[in-house]
């Protein structure tokens, strides 16, 4: 008989820990004015290329040429192509983070944890559907995908809500299981290869939360 999963203690910190905000995509909040202008110009050039030719066609060299800077400047600012594409996703990710950290309920604080989990999945699914091509192009390699700041913020948030809803579960692992349903590659497969509408994916998320938490919407 296998041992029961270790129970997770009820967190002493509030669900909306201010530290989450430090895990956002923008790790350069205090750029000099000239550096900020260069970064904005590079992102504008990258966004234009994505709109014209699709995310898969964008290279660091083309972004540098479109922005009128050297290729080395792009690499120093964003590290690699994934870092550049993640920076393009920064705005919508920050909007989602702000909504579940401090926005109105049920996505933000003030609603029961299971209700907030339902709202979080629906909001995250809609955001992925809107930015699906860019999110697929920005997918990190397997060694990085679970350590990137946006994923860490989402995991922290979901795990804390699970600890409130099902405190006797292994909520850290269970949070990864829930977030797997929001994976852009899976969403692309279900929508474009299986023909499932986004509403069906939202309904499936709600059903999964209900079964895990023993509640109903």
């Amino acid at each position: 008989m296998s041992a029961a999963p270790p129970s997770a203690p009820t967190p002493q910190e509030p669900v909306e820990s201010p530290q989450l905000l430090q895990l956002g995509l923008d790790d350069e909040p205090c750029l000099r004015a000239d550096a900020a202008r260069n970064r904005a110009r590079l992102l504008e050039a990258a966004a234009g290329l994505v709109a014209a030719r699709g995310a898969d066609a964008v290279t660091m060299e083309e972004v540098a040429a479109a922005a009128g800077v050297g290729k080395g400047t792009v690499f120093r600012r964003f590290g690699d192509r994934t870092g550049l594409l993640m920076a393009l996703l920064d705005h919508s990710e920050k909007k989602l983070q702000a909504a579940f950290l401090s926005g109105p309920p049920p996505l933000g604080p003030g609603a029961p944890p299971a209700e907030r989990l339902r709202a979080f999945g629906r909001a995250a699914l809609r955001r992925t559907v809107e930015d699906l091509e860019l999110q697929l192009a920005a997918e990190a390699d397997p060694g990085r995908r679970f350590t990137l700041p946006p994923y860490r913020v989402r995991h922290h948030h979901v795990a804390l809500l699970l600890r409130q809803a099902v405190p006797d579960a292994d909520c850290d692992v269970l949070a990864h299981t829930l977030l797997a349903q929001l994976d852009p590659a899976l969403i692309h497969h279900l929508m474009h290869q299986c023909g499932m509408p986004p509403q069906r994916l939202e309904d499936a998320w709600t059903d999964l939360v209900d079964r895990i938490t023993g509640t109903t919407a």
Side-chain angles (χ1 to χ4, degrees):
M1 182 176 178
S2 60
S7 61
T10 301
Q12 298 302 310
E13 61 184 312
V15 170
E16 308 312 326
S17 168
Q19 292 182 342
L20 286 181
L21 292 173
Q22 299 173 14
L23 297 178
L25 290 171
D26 189 357
D27 57 356
E28 299 176 291
C30 299
L31 290 174
R32 300 189 315 272
D34 57 338
R37 285 193 296 271
N38 284 340
R39 186 176 190 276
R41 188 163 69 247
L42 288 167
L43 290 175
E44 182 180 358
L49 289 170
V50 168
R53 298 168 47 193
D56 286 339
V58 174
T59 66
M60 302 289 267
E61 291 81 3
E62 289 174 321
V63 171
V69 301
K71 182 174 67 174
T73 300
V74 187
F75 280 98
R76 284 193 298 273
R77 180 60 58 204
F78 301 107
D80 56 18
R81 182 174 179 275
T82 296
L84 171 63
L85 296 177
M86 289 296 293
L88 282 176
L89 290 169
D90 178 69
H91 180 64
S92 59
E93 181 67 25
K94 282 183 174 177
K95 285 174 61 179
L96 177 62
Q97 286 184 20
F100 68 69
L101 286 171
S102 57
L107 182 55
E115 189 174 348
R116 295 192 65 199
L117 280 170
R118 296 183 198 104
F120 169 78
R122 290 193 294 266
L125 278 164
R126 290 166 189 166
R127 186 220 165 208
T128 297
V129 169
E130 290 171 0
D131 296 326
L132 187 55
E133 181 186 354
L134 189 54
Q135 290 213 33
L136 288 172
E139 277 280 275
D141 63 74
R144 293 180 57 199
R145 64 184 307 179
F146 300 112
T147 61
L148 291 173
Y151 185 88
R152 289 165 57 201
V153 171
R154 291 183 178 204
H155 178 269
H156 191 104
H157 177 68
V158 171
L160 284 174
L161 292 177
L162 285 170
R163 289 190 184 107
Q164 288 192 332
V166 282
D168 59 338
D170 188 342
C171 296
D172 284 331
V173 174
L174 196 54
H176 287 296
T177 303
L178 272 170
L179 289 171
Q181 193 165 335
L182 305 179
D183 180 74
L186 175 61
I187 292 172
H188 179 271
H189 168 70
L190 295 176
M191 290 180 55
H192 296 283
Q193 296 177 322
C194 300
M196 295 185 187
Q199 185 60 52
R200 182 174 175 184
L201 305 185
E202 292 185 30
D203 292 343
W205 170 271
T206 298
D207 180 61
L208 182 58
V209 170
D210 291 350
R211 292 174 187 275
I212 288 173
T213 61
T215 61
T216 56

